[in-house]
Amino acid sequence: MVQPTSAPSTPALTPQFCFSTAALRDFLRVSRSAIDDTITQNLNALVTPSRAGFDPSSTTQRSPRPLSRQIDPAACQEFKDQVLFPSWQARSQVLSYCALVATSPDPDDPEAAIREAEKQKDRERVVNERLDPYSARFFPREPRTEQLASVIRMEQGVENIVRTRTWGIVGERCGSDGKTWEQALGEWRRDKHLPLA
């Protein structure tokens, strides 16, 4: 049997990793492309080739087979347990950790002094709105924790969409048990004794 693609390993979780939003987004993009974006190909890899030899009549004209044929339930469960859920868990861990970093104080913010200087300069500025109606506008730089929080919120939304789409395809090909992806992932985490993040 052809093995499905495996997701990249979870990076070392440090505040520097989170604040490097390019690295954070790259990890999420590569992980999603390895598993979720190629879910149909990964599930096709689970279909076992026929056990009998080649049958020449299989190439004759006949009605096309449905593309979404069912996959062996044991193979589907193994794929979910060994590939899909671990990939989702790794991304959940990264997003949860970086969300925590985004809500924590940031003593190492390299732009903190610049922002403080800008605020001081704004307090000292004389505003005459009759001469310049836009002079009262002040747009302070956003702290990197707020920038990170914005990125995390956006990526969590993307993650929800990607998982919903992937779970729909898995349900079509493997047979649906009526559970949402959140319920199935939660059960897998409980079985593995992982935090329910």
Side-chain angles (χ1 to χ4, degrees):
M1 173 167 60
V2 178
Q3 292 299 317
T5 311
S6 62
S9 59
T10 306
L13 297 179
T14 63
Q16 293 77 18
F17 170 77
C18 295
F19 287 125
S20 171
T21 55
L24 171 63
R25 285 182 163 154
D26 282 348
F27 165 74
L28 295 170
R29 180 183 49 77
V30 169
S31 178
R32 289 174 185 145
S33 69
I35 304 300
D36 296 272
D37 294 350
T38 57
I39 189 66
T40 301
Q41 293 88 331
N42 283 322
L43 292 174
N44 285 343
L46 300 177
V47 178
T48 347
S50 67
R51 290 186 174 81
F54 175 69
D55 177 11
S57 67
S58 68
T59 61
T60 60
Q61 282 289 6
R62 59 181 173 169
S63 61
R65 290 187 300 182
L67 290 176
S68 60
R69 58 182 178 217
Q70 293 281 311
I71 300 169
D72 175 47
C76 276
Q77 192 59 49
E78 183 179 349
F79 172 77
K80 289 187 274 188
D81 290 345
Q82 302 299 319
V83 178
L84 184 63
F85 292 151
S87 173
W88 286 0
Q89 178 66 18
R91 294 197 309 254
S92 292
Q93 285 176 325
V94 167
L95 289 170
S96 294
Y97 176 80
C98 290
L100 183 65
V101 169
T103 58
S104 301
D106 183 12
D108 300 327
D109 187 352
E111 293 188 351
I114 295 169
R115 272 196 316 281
E116 195 53 46
E118 286 175 347
K119 285 180 189 175
Q120 182 62 31
K121 186 177 174 183
D122 181 58
R123 285 190 287 266
E124 295 170 358
R125 193 170 47 150
V126 175
V127 176
N128 185 341
E129 290 186 23
R130 288 179 54 200
L131 295 176
D132 182 5
Y134 301 105
S135 63
R137 289 186 178 180
F138 172 63
F139 301 105
R141 293 178 192 228
E142 192 176 44
R144 69 182 187 165
T145 53
E146 289 177 24
Q147 292 171 3
L148 177 60
S150 176
V151 168
I152 295 299
R153 277 190 303 276
M154 185 187 65
E155 291 296 340
Q156 286 171 330
V158 170
E159 194 67 19
N160 190 33
I161 292 167
V162 166
R163 289 180 186 186
T164 300
R165 179 191 157 275
T166 297
W167 193 247
I169 294 170
V170 168
E172 287 173 15
R173 296 293 305 277
C174 294
S176 176
D177 55 7
K179 295 177 190 166
T180 64
W181 69 262
E182 293 97 336
Q183 293 167 327
L185 182 60
E187 287 178 12
W188 178 82
R189 286 174 173 157
R190 278 190 292 283
D191 291 345
K192 300 287 184 191
H193 306 291
L194 296 171
L196 298 177

